[in-house]
């Protein structure tokens, strides 16, 4: 039997005494999981506002407290992409996806970036 790959070293393992893997600083506007309030992204990491599978979604450079499923090819509004679903590490809700590979040159900037659907996010810290 094949052994599964170990997670990257930069990932912090969850422990029973700690709810979230990472906490974003309170001095920045952040986005959190609407279901469990785990931090997901800093507003400074927002690239653009887009459409997801279930309505509005945001594209981020980086996110925290998310796990990543296996990549698969999907035809999205912007063409064929290899994407992997992402989920909240705390409550396991599917939040959106990570762009693993873009097949069209105009979409290459999305590779390694993350889509989180607005239906799964809430604004935290300093939104007035």
């Amino acid at each position: 039997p094949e052994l599964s790959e170990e997670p990257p070293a930069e990932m912090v393992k969850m422990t029973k005494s700690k709810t979230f893997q990472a906490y974003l600083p309170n001095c920045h506007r952040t986005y959190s999981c609407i279901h469990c309030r785990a931090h997901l992204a800093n507003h400074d990491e927002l690239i653009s506002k887009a459409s997801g599978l279930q309505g509005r979604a945001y594209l981020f450079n980086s996110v925290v407290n998310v796990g990543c499923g296996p990549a698969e090819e999907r035809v999205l509004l912007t063409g064929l992409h290899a994407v992997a679903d992402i989920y909240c590490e705390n409550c396991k809700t599917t939040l959106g996806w990570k762009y693993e590979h873009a097949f069209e040159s105009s979409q290459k900037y999305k590779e390694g970036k993350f889509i989180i659907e607005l239906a799964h996010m809430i604004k935290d810290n300093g939104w007035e």
Side-chain angles (χ1 to χ4, degrees):
E2 291 184 23
L3 296 174
S4 61
E5 288 185 334
E6 290 194 24
E10 66 269 13
M11 286 182 64
V12 180
K13 292 191 186 266
M14 288 178 61
T15 65
K16 290 184 181 182
S17 62
K18 188 169 151 186
T19 305
F20 309 139
Q21 292 179 341
Y23 289 87
L24 297 172
N26 286 334
C27 59
H28 293 94
R29 293 183 292 172
T30 58
Y31 299 92
S32 298
C33 176
I34 198 167
H35 310 285
C36 71
R37 298 303 283 261
H39 289 177
L40 297 175
N42 186 321
H43 182 65
D44 295 340
E45 295 296 314
L46 178 64
I47 298 170
S48 66
K49 298 176 181 182
S51 292
L53 297 174
Q54 300 174 7
R56 303 282 300 154
Y58 286 1
L59 180 67
F60 292 97
N61 272 315
S62 66
V63 295
V64 297
N65 299 319
V66 300
C68 202
E72 62 183 36
E73 291 182 5
R74 290 188 197 151
V75 177
L76 303 173
L77 292 174
T78 55
L80 180 63
H81 298 272
V83 298
D85 286 339
I86 59 172
Y87 57 89
C88 176
E89 278 283 6
N90 189 53
C91 69
K92 308 302 183 204
T93 300
T94 299
L95 304 169
W97 60 87
K98 177 182 181 183
Y99 287 99
E100 298 287 354
H101 179 73
F103 292 92
E104 295 180 26
S105 57
S106 66
Q107 299 298 309
K108 290 286 187 189
Y109 74 97
K110 293 179 180 176
E111 291 181 348
K113 307 295 190 287
F114 301 85
I115 283 280
I116 299 180
E117 295 180 311
L118 259 55
H120 301 297
M121 283 193 306
I122 190 166
K123 294 176 178 179
D124 272 334
N125 300 329
W127 295 92
E128 305 209 4

